[in-house]
Amino acid sequence: MLDQVLMHQGVGLEAYNALPLRRAVHAVYECCYSVVLATDLAGGRPFADHDSLFRQADALLFSLGEDSIDRVLQAYPHIGRRPRSPKSVCEQCSVWDDDPAVMTQLNNEVLHYAERFGFGFVMFVEDCCAHRAMAGIVDRLHNDRETERKVVRNELARINRARLERMLGPEGGYYNW
């Protein structure tokens, strides 16, 4: 989930605070896939530190209605339709992530999840393989719909935080910005 390439990387908080509103909204939208959240977060600038931006992003995400969360989920890539690139092998299970049988099995699990809950599967993992994703799906299939909606919001918050961290980079940003 985190292998997404962001156009705005390492801009630093000071530079983010100084961006024109449109660019600030675009930078956050790349991280969260929600125009509402991106607009509200960009409109809340300036932020004193990374943590205050992260807390506000979480608050905004958790205040979104279920319809908005469903739209966010529709923007996420469908796990199981595209193997990771470049080719990688999972160190734990020693299976290639682009093995057609593994990817077919993962796609079937994702479809089963979507049929059960009515929305797409998302999961935060920094270094994910198909087997970890399948284990996450199988584990979460035991949830009722209400519990799973809460889990999804938490997963989205973790993904947003990681992407926002990449967007901002270290405190002070990188020299090239």
Side-chain angles (χ1 to χ4, degrees):
M1 282 268 125
L2 291 180
D3 59 356
Q4 170 200 29
V5 176
L6 299 175
M7 186 170 148
H8 299 88
Q9 290 191 36
V11 298
L13 184 61
E14 187 176 321
Y16 173 71
N17 282 335
L19 286 174
L21 182 61
R22 279 181 153 177
R23 288 203 51 213
V25 170
H26 184 255
V28 173
Y29 180 81
E30 289 180 319
C31 300
C32 67
Y33 298 148
S34 169
V35 172
V36 172
L37 192 152
T39 302
D40 288 350
L41 192 62
R45 295 173 302 152
F47 292 97
D49 54 37
H50 288 198
D51 198 48
S52 60
L53 183 146
F54 300 148
R55 282 193 313 271
Q56 183 62 20
D58 287 347
L60 290 168
L61 175 72
F62 285 98
S63 73
L64 292 175
E66 292 301 329
D67 289 345
S68 293
I69 295 296
D70 287 339
R71 285 190 292 279
V72 169
L73 291 171
Q74 289 174 4
Y76 273 83
H78 178 95
I79 295 175
R81 285 200 182 142
R82 61 183 178 108
R84 290 182 60 183
S85 180
K87 292 181 181 180
S88 63
V89 66
C90 175
E91 293 176 13
Q92 290 183 343
C93 60
S94 301
V95 174
W96 289 91
D97 274 353
D98 67 343
D99 178 324
V102 171
M103 297 312 292
T104 298
Q105 183 180 359
L106 177 58
N107 191 51
N108 289 339
E109 293 296 338
V110 167
L111 291 173
H112 182 187
Y113 177 95
E115 288 171 7
R116 165 108 165 74
F117 294 112
F119 48 86
F121 177 77
V122 293
M123 184 171 100
F124 173 83
V125 280
E126 291 187 70
D127 187 25
C128 185
C129 74
H131 287 92
R132 286 187 211 156
M134 282 188 282
I137 294 168
V138 169
D139 183 52
R140 287 168 50 187
L141 282 170
H142 297 289
N143 292 339
D144 59 60
R145 192 173 199 289
E146 182 179 334
T147 300
E148 187 58 19
R149 293 298 288 198
K150 291 175 184 175
V151 170
V152 164
R153 279 187 194 254
N154 286 321
E155 294 298 310
L156 289 172
R158 294 175 70 198
I159 292 166
N160 286 351
R161 167 81 54 114
R163 290 177 176 175
L164 287 166
E165 286 174 345
R166 274 196 358 229
M167 179 197 71
L168 293 175
E171 291 285 342
Y174 293 108
Y175 179 71
N176 65 334
W177 283 94

